[in-house]
Amino acid sequence: MEFVPNRIKRRIPTEVEGIGKLRPYMEPGKRRNKYISEQIPVSTGKLAPSLRAAIEKVGLKDGMTISFHHHLRNGDLVLPLVMAEIAAMGFRDLTVCASSLSKSHSCLIDYIKSGVVTGIETSGMRGELAEAISRECILPKPVVFKTHGGRARSIESGERKIDVAFIGASCCDNMGNMNGCLGKSAFGSMGYAKVDARFARKVVAITDNLVPYPANPISIPQTMVDCVVQVEQIGDPQLISQGATRKTKNPIELAIAEYASQVIIATGLVRNGFSYQAGSGGISLAVARYLKDYMKEHGIKGSFASGGITSTMTEMLEEGYFDALLDVQTFDADAVASIRDNPRHIEMDAEMYADPQAKGNVTNSLDVMILSATEVDTNFNVNVLTASDGVIMGALGGHPDTAAGANLAIVVAPLIRKRVPIVVDRVVTISTPGESVDVVVTERGIAVNPQNPKLKQRLIEQGLPVYEIEELRDMAYNLTGKPETPHYGDKVVGLVEYRDGTILDVIRNVL
C-alpha cells in the first residue's frame, strides 16, 4: 500500500482495497481569520452590484435557454427588466422557457424581431405577443406549449435544460434565501420557480426587498442560488391578483355552478376526507360555495384542496372545511396572507403538483376537479389555448394534468359566450383530450362522457337535466348558427405538448 503525506504531514494511503482511491487533505475549503477585527469587511454574500453584473457572472451566452416564473402574473416586471438588459448586452438566439406569459410580456415582440429571442416554451400566452405570433408568424420556430406538470417533467428529466433561471422574489437575503409571501410585491407560493431553481445551471434571484440574513421563511434556499440582484420593483401588487378571484353574480354562471355542485354531490365523492381543486374563475368559485353549504349541512370535512389558491379556499380552510391547502400558485392578497400565517396552507412545487413521472403527484390524488373551457366538442375534447378564431389567447396550465389525474373531471362553461357557441362539433385546438373529461356542465344541461354510463344513469335518477353532448351542441347552434372554420396559413406557430411530452395538436397561423 502506497502512502503520501498530506498538508498537515500525515501519511495517507493513496488507495484502499474495497474503498478505492483516496485524496489526501491539501487545504481548508475557506481560509478565515478566527480573530475579530475591525478590519474584516462585512460580507456582501452573493449580492451583485447590478443586473448586468449578475448576467456576466453567471456566464450567459448566445443560444442559451433562460427561464422565468409567472407568479407575478399581469404585474410582472422581472421579465421585461431582464430582457431589456440582455438585449442591451447584445445577446442573441435565446430560448425563453417561462412557466407562463401574460399581457405584461409584449416586450418580447421586439426581442423576437431583433433576433434576441428565437424560441419560446411556455404554458400559455396572451395579449399582443400571442396576436403577433398567431397572425404575423414573428417567431422562427413554433412555440412549445407545455402543461405545468409536463414542464416540470421535462426540466426534472433533463429533456429541457435551463442555463440561467431568473427568479423574482418579494423577499430575499444576500445569500439567496427567498420567499414570495413577504414584502411590498408579495405574491405567495413560489411553486413554479422551485423546479427551475433546483435544476437550472445558474440561478439569479431578483428582489425589491433585501432583508438581513437569513430570510425567513425560506421557499428557495441559498444552496440553489448563484447571484442576488436588488432592483426597485419586481411587480405591481395591484396587477398581480387583478381579476383573479371574481365572485360572480351572473345568473347563468350561478346556474352552471349549482348544476356542477349537484353533479359532484350525486357521485358520492363529497365525503369526509375528499380532495378538491377548482380554478379561480367566477363559476369555479361559486361551485366551491355551493359545496361549502352542503358540507356544512352534513358535517363533512375534506382532506385537502389544491392548485392555485384563492380567498374562497382559504376561508374554507379557516372555517374547518379542509385540513390543508396545497398551493402551487397564490391568486390574491388574502391567500398570500394565509400562506404567510397559516401552517396548514402549504407551499408545493410544480413537480409535486403535477409531474406525471414524479414518485407521487397531487393531481393523481384528487377526487374532484373543476375545469374551464373556451370550447368543448362532441368528443369531449377541450380547448383552453386558442379563441374560436384560432388566435392564441390562453394557457394549458394544469388543465390536462388534473383532468387526467382526478377521479371526477367536470368542465363548466356557458353554452354560448358573446354569441359564440362553446359546445361545438370540433374544437379549434385540443388542449385536453376528451377521454380525460367525465362531465360537461352548462346552464342548459349536462352531458356525460359515454365512457361513464353508470354516472349518467345516476345523474338521471337524481333528476338532473342530462343530454347527449350532440344535443347541447345543437342547442348552441340554434342560438348562434354554426361557427365558421378559422382561415389558416401553412405555417405551424405552436405545438401543443401533452404532459408526457407527446404532441397533442398543432396551432397554425391565422390569416
Side-chain angles (χ1 to χ4, degrees):
M1 185 179 295
E2 182 181 358
F3 289 78
V4 295
N6 66 11
R7 181 183 177 88
I8 52 177
K9 312 303 182 186
R10 297 288 178 149
R11 295 183 61 77
I12 307 298
T14 57
E15 188 171 358
V16 173
E17 186 176 352
I19 294 177
K21 293 182 179 180
L22 304 179
R23 294 181 297 119
Y25 167 78
M26 296 307 295
E27 62 179 321
K30 180 179 180 181
R31 295 190 59 79
R32 58 189 297 180
N33 188 335
K34 64 180 180 178
Y35 298 106
I36 297 174
S37 167
E38 292 181 0
Q39 278 70 47
I40 298 176
V42 176
S43 173
T44 58
K46 300 173 184 176
L47 194 62
S50 66
L51 183 55
R52 176 168 291 218
I55 294 169
E56 290 172 345
K57 182 177 179 179
V58 296
L60 184 66
K61 292 182 173 59
D62 292 350
M64 284 187 170
T65 296
I66 59 178
S67 78
F68 301 90
H69 67 83
H70 74 287
H71 293 284
L72 293 156
R73 291 183 291 283
N74 286 330
D76 180 40
L77 299 175
V78 172
L79 184 149
L81 185 68
V82 171
M83 290 308 305
E85 192 61 51
I86 283 174
M89 295 173 73
F91 291 105
R92 299 183 63 79
D93 192 25
L94 299 177
T95 295
V96 172
C97 180
S99 53
S100 199
L101 294 169
S102 67
K103 294 178 181 179
S104 64
H105 299 136
S106 60
C107 62
L108 287 174
I109 295 172
D110 290 338
Y111 302 131
I112 292 169
K113 290 181 176 180
S114 63
V116 177
V117 173
T118 55
I120 294 177
E121 292 186 7
T122 180
S123 170
M125 186 180 293
R126 297 171 174 85
E128 294 177 6
L129 174 63
E131 285 273 348
I133 288 174
S134 294
R135 298 186 185 278
E136 301 173 34
C137 308
I138 61 172
L139 198 65
K141 52 191 174 185
V143 177
V144 181
F145 291 98
K146 296 177 180 283
T147 74
H148 288 327
R151 182 178 187 272
R153 175 201 56 77
S154 67
I155 294 171
E156 189 270 340
S157 67
E159 177 184 303
R160 163 45 65 201
K161 292 179 171 60
I162 296 173
D163 293 296
V164 184
F166 294 94
I167 298 178
S170 65
C171 177
C172 188
D173 63 36
N174 65 355
M175 290 298 291
N177 298 299
M178 65 180 107
N179 65 64
C181 62
L182 298 174
K184 64 181 181 179
S185 303
F187 52 82
S189 173
M190 300 189 77
Y192 298 121
K194 282 172 170 277
V195 175
D196 298 47
R198 193 155 68 248
F199 294 103
R201 184 181 61 83
K202 297 289 183 180
V203 173
V204 177
I206 301 173
T207 188
D208 56 9
N209 181 30
L210 192 68
V211 298
Y213 181 91
N216 181 43
I218 297 173
S219 294
I220 295 174
Q222 64 187 53
T223 52
M224 299 178 184
V225 179
D226 297 277
C227 207
V228 178
V229 180
Q230 184 176 18
V231 298
E232 184 176 338
Q233 192 170 12
I234 63 165
D236 182 342
Q238 291 185 339
L239 296 177
I240 289 172
S241 60
Q242 185 183 51
T245 56
R246 175 180 58 87
K247 293 185 178 180
T248 185
K249 295 181 180 179
N250 183 312
I252 291 176
E253 293 185 335
L254 290 174
I256 296 168
E258 186 170 9
Y259 278 148
S261 63
Q262 290 174 0
V263 169
I264 298 167
I265 292 165
T267 65
L269 288 170
V270 185
R271 58 188 185 271
N272 283 326
F274 88 105
S275 55
Y276 177 76
Q277 181 173 328
S280 61
I283 299 174
S284 297
L285 296 180
V287 173
R289 293 197 295 276
Y290 281 121
L291 287 181
K292 178 181 172 180
D293 291 341
Y294 179 83
M295 293 167 72
K296 181 178 182 179
E297 181 181 352
H298 293 83
I300 294 170
K301 185 174 187 178
S303 58
F304 72 88
S306 70
I309 299 299
T310 64
S311 59
T312 297
M313 301 315 301
T314 60
E315 287 170 9
M316 293 184 75
L317 176 69
E318 293 291 341
E319 294 170 15
Y321 292 100
F322 287 101
D323 285 324
L325 300 180
L326 298 174
D327 188 346
V328 71
Q329 181 177 15
T330 314
F331 276 109
D332 58 48
D334 289 343
V336 171
S338 174
I339 198 171
R340 180 191 66 215
D341 300 332
N342 193 333
R344 292 183 296 126
H345 186 160
I346 303 163
E347 185 176 33
M348 67 173 170
D349 65 23
E351 182 183 14
M352 177 177 170
Y353 172 46
D355 181 349
Q357 293 184 0
K359 294 180 180 179
N361 69 65
V362 171
T363 59
N364 288 350
S365 298
L366 283 172
D367 286 313
V368 180
M369 174 60 193
I370 305 297
L371 301 159
S372 61
T374 303
E375 297 177 307
V376 58
D377 67 23
T378 53
N379 290 314
F380 288 79
N381 298 310
V382 181
N383 173 21
V384 291
L385 193 54
T386 59
S388 57
D389 62 1
V391 175
I392 299 164
M393 49 70 70
L396 294 178
H399 199 289
D401 300 308
T402 51
N407 288 331
L408 180 67
I410 300 178
V411 170
V412 292
L415 195 65
I416 63 173
R417 186 185 287 122
K418 295 181 180 179
R419 299 296 301 171
V420 175
I422 303 305
V423 182
V424 295
D425 284 314
R426 186 172 186 265
V427 294
V428 171
T429 305
I430 297 178
S431 305
T432 297
E435 60 189 354
S436 298
V437 174
D438 297 299
V439 183
V440 173
V441 179
T442 74
E443 78 280 13
R444 297 292 185 99
I446 299 161
V448 180
N449 194 312
Q451 297 174 150
N452 302 297
K454 291 182 179 180
L455 174 59
K456 179 180 179 180
Q457 187 58 38
R458 180 176 292 187
L459 298 185
I460 292 173
E461 291 170 356
Q462 293 291 321
L464 291 169
V466 176
Y467 296 90
E468 299 300 324
I469 190 75
E470 291 82 4
E471 292 179 285
L472 293 181
R473 174 207 60 198
D474 291 343
M475 290 182 199
Y477 285 3
N478 286 337
L479 293 169
T480 66
K482 189 172 181 178
E484 292 186 10
T485 301
H487 298 289
Y488 295 113
D490 57 4
K491 184 174 178 59
V492 173
V493 296
L495 299 175
V496 184
E497 190 178 284
Y498 193 56
R499 61 200 305 245
D500 62 0
T502 57
I503 301 303
L504 194 62
D505 206 345
V506 300
I507 302 172
R508 291 181 169 82
N509 68 303
V510 176
L511 299 177

